[in-house]
Amino acid sequence: MRDLDEFEDALIERFRQHPVLAGTARLPDADFTALLLQRRFVSLAFTPSYDLAIDLLRDEAGLRIARAILREEYPDGRGHTPSHREDMKEDLLRLGVTREELVASRPTEATRRAIEDAFELIADAGGSDDADLRLLTFLRFWGEVLVSVEYEHLWQRMAPVLTGDDGRNRSRFYYPHYVHDAKAHPLTTVSLLSATHSDRLATRISRLLTRPESRDAFRETEERALHLKTAFYDQFLPALDRVGAPQP
């Protein structure tokens, strides 16, 4: 399974080098705000994506892991604790995004396509022979591993604002998700004691990778997930073009 880890790590590095992610610090404030507002719509699609996949999963162990992760998005059944989406809103407000900007924001065509294509990929995965493997692989790579890579880059821009003078990290959404969504262990060494969402899903995925065709399904699903993420960030390439090449 080491070859699959190497394949996956290469995809992660390719995403990490996307010009918009790598150039986050160079984005003008208005463009960075626009990126965050559009990324918010993708984040809002996280829970329905999990729900869609859960409807199509048949593997009971995988279902339990997916359900547990989804329920963490709404920590308090009595309504006293904000959801993770509300935590995101609070971070955005601290970053200077106004309520008026939240009200006025609408998903762009590229953002709508990124969301709709994710739903389409889940539906396609559910109809395949390797449905359980494909669905869990997509949830893990699109919804956890690559999200951590995104927030890793965004956090570098956010940290000065969301870290207080006392050094205390005040992020309620972006930094916690950067940490608990990450791939912390290779597929070959994950265990039930693994703490991150990515690794918890990987414990089941590694057991489903038993046939050669399963490995092909894993690779194909991750490549398609990466394409969705890349296409979303491509819409912000003109913002980098406007500021020109980085200074040596």
Side-chain angles (χ1 to χ4, degrees):
M1 206 175 296
R2 185 178 301 171
D3 60 319
L4 293 183
D5 268 312
E6 292 174 353
F7 169 81
E8 179 175 83
D9 290 344
L11 294 185
I12 293 170
E13 186 58 29
R14 191 196 311 173
F15 186 48
R16 186 171 277 123
Q17 296 303 321
H18 188 282
V20 173
L21 288 177
T24 299
R26 296 168 46 227
L27 288 172
D29 289 344
D31 291 302
F32 186 62
T33 296
L35 186 156
L36 294 180
L37 288 171
Q38 290 304 309
R39 184 60 184 77
R40 170 175 170 263
F41 289 112
V42 178
S43 186
L44 291 172
F46 175 87
T47 49
S49 296
Y50 258 77
D51 279 323
L52 284 170
I54 285 170
D55 280 350
L56 302 179
L57 279 165
R58 291 171 293 191
D59 179 72
E60 187 58 35
L63 269 169
R64 288 196 299 270
I65 296 170
R67 288 176 187 142
I69 291 173
L70 180 59
R71 280 158 175 73
E72 289 178 15
E73 300 298 308
Y74 304 97
D76 178 8
R78 295 178 298 172
H80 297 299
T81 305
S83 70
H84 286 187
R85 275 354 87 177
E86 293 173 88
D87 288 338
M88 174 177 58
K89 180 201 71 175
E90 291 303 316
D91 272 6
L92 289 172
L93 294 177
R94 286 193 177 110
L95 288 164
V97 177
T98 65
R99 184 180 183 279
E100 290 71 25
E101 288 174 315
L102 286 173
V103 170
S105 63
R106 299 291 185 274
T108 63
E109 176 58 32
T111 300
R112 285 196 297 269
R113 190 163 57 249
I115 295 168
E116 291 169 2
D117 287 351
F119 293 160
E120 183 70 24
L121 199 157
I122 291 169
D124 288 347
S128 68
D129 292 337
D130 291 301
D132 291 323
L133 172 66
R134 288 178 183 268
L135 289 166
L136 293 173
T137 297
F138 181 75
L139 291 181
R140 174 179 171 272
F141 201 59
W142 176 86
E144 310 292 348
V145 174
L146 295 183
V147 169
S148 178
V149 175
E150 292 175 81
Y151 293 169
E152 173 191 359
H153 284 276
L154 298 182
W155 178 248
Q156 294 173 21
R157 175 77 176 256
M158 297 172 175
V161 179
L162 294 181
T163 304
D165 294 337
D166 57 0
R168 180 184 170 193
N169 185 332
R170 288 178 166 79
S171 173
R172 290 168 51 176
F173 178 81
Y174 291 102
Y175 186 81
H177 281 74
Y178 157 44
V179 173
H180 74 58
D181 290 349
K183 175 183 178 179
H185 299 89
L187 291 165
T188 52
T189 63
V190 289
S191 73
L192 294 176
L193 298 178
S194 298
T196 70
H197 289 174
S198 296
D199 285 359
R200 283 157 60 185
L201 287 164
T203 60
R204 191 59 193 154
I205 291 169
S206 61
R207 294 180 179 275
L208 295 174
L209 286 167
T210 55
R211 298 177 298 158
E213 53 266 37
S214 297
R215 291 168 173 259
D216 291 340
F218 176 89
R219 292 187 181 94
E220 180 188 341
T221 302
E222 289 206 336
E223 285 180 332
R224 291 182 66 184
L226 176 62
H227 174 75
L228 294 182
K229 291 288 188 179
T230 300
F232 171 81
Y233 281 98
D234 283 348
Q235 68 180 303
F236 302 104
L237 287 171
L240 281 182
D241 291 339
R242 288 196 297 274
V243 298
Q247 297 299 312

